[in-house]
Amino acid sequence: MLLTLAEKKQKTAKKGSAATQVQPKKTHNLRILVAEDNPINQRIIQLMLQQLGCDDVVIVPDGQTAVAAAMDATYDLVLMDIQMPNMNGLEATQLIRKHTGRDDKPWIIALSAGVMKEEQDDAKAAGANEFLAKPLNTEQLGKALDRVQLLSARS
């Protein structure tokens, strides 16, 4: 089939416009506290959250600072590293639960490179709602944010 120059340009323009359309970024209206001691992991999590449309994020370097932050402000979600200096994530989770008196607000997701069942059980026993293994990927973090967004809308 022979196309005229005008038809070729029109066909190319249609392909180009479809290929270059930007998908709207999903936004999560969540207030998020990230407790992570490793600066590289802090940056990776921050970039993932930005990519997922999260703008209200506070990052702290240890469990002790996480507890203080949770006492000073209300968060929908806490991403809590388990192994941190000064106070580990399990202790911090227990204190946040004690302070809020709730087991669902904030929603706490324990983060750890250790994926042993025992470590996951310890996180749940401390009051974490979920457990995600490191290294995190954007897809699994996005699914967790979607769940928290649904839960926040209901409460």
Side-chain angles (χ1 to χ4, degrees), residues 112-128:
S112 178
V115 292
M116 301 288 289
K117 175 128 174 61
E118 180 180 291
E119 192 168 19
Q120 294 178 32
D121 291 343
D122 289 347
K124 295 274 186 180

Side-chain angles (χ1 to χ4, degrees), residues 14-61:
K14 284 183 184 176
K15 280 184 185 175
S17 66
T20 59
Q21 286 181 349
V22 176
Q23 293 295 324
K25 183 170 74 169
K26 180 189 275 190
T27 58
H28 292 92
N29 298 323
L30 298 171
R31 183 136 202 232
I32 301 172
L33 174 64
V34 178
E36 170 63 61
D37 63 315
N38 183 302
I40 294 169
N41 289 344
Q42 288 175 356
R43 184 69 177 139
I44 290 169
I45 292 171
Q46 180 182 33
L47 290 171
M48 285 180 173
L49 290 170
Q50 285 175 349
Q51 185 178 0
L52 292 165
C54 299
D55 297 326
D56 196 357
V57 179
V58 174
I59 299 175
V60 297

Side-chain angles (χ1 to χ4, degrees), residues 61-137:
D62 59 48
Q64 193 172 7
T65 312
V67 172
M71 289 183 180
D72 286 345
T74 302
Y75 293 93
D76 300 300
L77 171 63
V78 178
L79 296 173
M80 181 74 73
D81 184 23
I82 297 298
Q83 297 177 1
M84 293 184 289
N86 299 330
M87 179 186 293
N88 70 38
L90 299 177
E91 293 172 278
T93 297
Q94 290 172 331
L95 288 172
I96 290 170
R97 290 291 178 231
K98 184 177 178 183
H99 169 72
T100 63
R102 295 182 66 171
D103 61 358
D104 63 341
K105 191 83 171 188
W107 195 259
I108 299 177
I109 299 177
L111 306 175
S112 178
V115 292
M116 301 288 289
K117 175 128 174 61
E118 180 180 291
E119 192 168 19
Q120 294 178 32
D121 291 343
D122 289 347
K124 295 274 186 180
N129 303 97
E130 293 184 45
F131 184 96
L132 292 178
K134 290 180 184 178
L136 293 176
N137 68 54

